[in-house]
Amino acid sequence: DALVIAAASVPDACNRLPDPRPFTKVGSLFDLSIVDVSVKELTSIGANVLDRIRTKDARVSVDSGSVACGVLRRSVASTKSVISAEETTAMSGSIFGMAVDGDAVGSFVVDGIASRKRLGFVESLEKVADRFVERTLGALNPQKGESYKGAVLFSPEVVESLLVGNLLA
C-alpha cells in the first residue's frame, strides 16, 4: 500500500534521507556512577522520600511514585551510510497523591525530577518531596476567592494544561 501511495504522490525533494556528515557529540550525557546504582539503593531512596513526606504531615497521601535509573543506548544507520550511536544515563523520581483531612480531600498533585547526574539527585528529590507536601496541603480546603480584575501570573503547569492542549487540539 505504501508503494502505491508513494507512486501516486507528487515528488518532494526534501523528503529524503540526509547525506552523511559529521555528528556533534553532546557532552555530559553519561554518568558512569549511575550504572552502579542497585535496586536496593533505589528502593532505599524511595523509602526515604516516603518517610520524609509522612514525617512532614500525616494528611499527605502518596498514591503512587517511582524512583528509576538507567542507561539508554541509541543508534542510527541508513542506506546512505549515516551511522551514529550514543549512550546516555538518567535518574528520575516522581510522586503522585493528595492531602486528606477527614472528609476534606484536596486536588491531585504530581511532582518529579529527572537528572543526567547521580551527584545531587537524592537532595533534589528531597526538595521535590518537600514541594509535593506544600502543594498537596495548599490544595486542601479550597475557599472561594475574591473577584479580581487585572493581570494574572500562571505557573508553567497551568499554562500547559489550560492553553497548550487546547491550541494543539
Side-chain angles (χ1 to χ4, degrees), residues 108-128:
F108 285 114
V109 173
V110 64
D111 209 335
I113 188 170
S115 176
R116 298 243 183 233
K117 299 287 183 191
R118 182 176 179 177
L119 184 65
F121 173 77
V122 171
E123 293 80 4
S124 295
L125 187 58
E126 289 171 349
K127 289 178 184 175
V128 166

Side-chain angles (χ1 to χ4, degrees), residues 61-132:
S61 170
V62 175
D63 287 2
S64 66
S66 68
V67 181
C69 68
V71 177
L72 175 64
R73 293 177 176 94
R74 293 185 278 214
S75 58
V76 175
S78 78
T79 55
K80 288 193 139 201
S81 300
V82 173
I83 298 172
S84 183
E86 71 176 358
E87 287 185 314
T88 62
T89 54
M91 294 188 76
S92 64
S94 66
I95 313 163
F96 175 79
M98 67 193 123
V100 179
D101 189 9
D103 291 336
V105 178
S107 298
F108 285 114
V109 173
V110 64
D111 209 335
I113 188 170
S115 176
R116 298 243 183 233
K117 299 287 183 191
R118 182 176 179 177
L119 184 65
F121 173 77
V122 171
E123 293 80 4
S124 295
L125 187 58
E126 289 171 349
K127 289 178 184 175
V128 166
D130 295 346
R131 186 175 61 223
F132 174 79

